[in-house]
Amino acid sequence: MLTIRPEEPDDAEAIAQVHVHGWQAGYAGIMPEEVLGRLNVSAWAQRRRDLGTADPEHPFTTLLAEAGGSKVVGFASFGPYRVDQDRANLDPTHGELLALYVEPGHWGDGTATALLAAAREGLAARGFPTYRAWVLAENERARRFYARAGLSPDGEWTTYPVPLSGGRPPVRLVELRYAGPLGG
């Protein structure tokens, strides 16, 4: 049984674990192995705490998917659209799905679909007529998922800089912006 609920302050570690596992499995072969290998659950959990993502006044909402009553197996974060992906520059006329990650063992079991539906409901309840999501161009699995959900590339793209160690310049991965309607 899957339960969807809002993030609480004590969830930071569980969310970070899903986030790291999602990156390591979902971006294997896309991001450099050295980057995926150095991901740190504790550091990502602390970043969530520092950003105050569980605060009800935070502009972005995170919903969790729990399986078996208590194990966090996925999350979705959403809110107003970030202009140039800047959390300090928000466009209140569009919604954005900032993140959707599921434990790899739960890929294909409906968890991601349930989280996306809940995020869409949350965005629609805030009055957004449309929403957007940034997706790595090489992430074919995610692109297929969003296409099945009714989103499509809108022609906008950017590069996501992935920092490397040893003072080397970052790897720049192309991101495509997907967009779709809410409601109806």
Side-chain angles (χ1 to χ4, degrees):
M1 183 171 136
L2 193 68
T3 304
I4 307 290
R5 67 167 177 83
E7 175 185 12
E8 296 175 3
D10 291 342
D11 294 322
E13 199 81 20
I15 295 169
Q17 184 168 334
V18 169
H19 208 165
V20 166
H21 291 166
W23 268 54
Q24 289 171 332
Y27 299 149
I30 298 172
M31 286 203 184
E33 191 58 41
E34 77 170 75
V35 172
L36 298 176
R38 73 174 179 236
L39 297 178
N40 181 299
V41 170
S42 295
W44 283 31
Q46 188 57 51
R47 182 169 181 261
R48 290 194 74 78
R49 289 184 201 98
D50 292 346
L51 289 171
T53 59
D55 184 335
E57 299 300 315
H58 196 277
F60 306 107
T61 300
T62 297
L63 298 177
L64 309 183
E66 289 182 331
S70 63
K71 177 161 176 47
V72 175
V73 296
F75 74 95
S77 297
F78 59 91
Y81 181 71
R82 301 165 301 149
V83 177
D84 296 326
Q85 298 189 41
D86 179 355
R87 291 174 181 262
N89 187 5
L90 303 178
D91 176 354
T93 62
H94 299 282
E96 181 177 359
L97 179 68
L98 282 77
L100 175 59
Y101 290 94
V102 173
E103 281 287 349
H106 287 268
W107 289 359
D109 72 358
T111 299
T113 301
L115 281 167
L116 181 58
R120 285 175 48 95
E121 286 176 23
L123 288 164
R126 290 187 187 184
F128 296 115
T130 62
Y131 73 117
R132 299 167 172 173
W134 289 98
V135 184
L136 289 176
E138 293 183 53
N139 190 344
E140 293 294 333
R141 180 184 191 91
R143 292 180 65 189
R144 286 189 306 270
F145 173 78
Y146 290 124
R148 284 191 308 271
L151 289 113
S152 58
D154 67 1
E156 292 293 322
W157 65 276
T158 189
T159 57
Y160 180 77
V162 180
L164 299 175
S165 61
R168 293 175 291 154
V171 171
R172 297 195 174 276
L173 300 176
V174 174
E175 286 184 299
L176 305 175
R177 191 173 74 186
Y178 276 59
L182 289 166

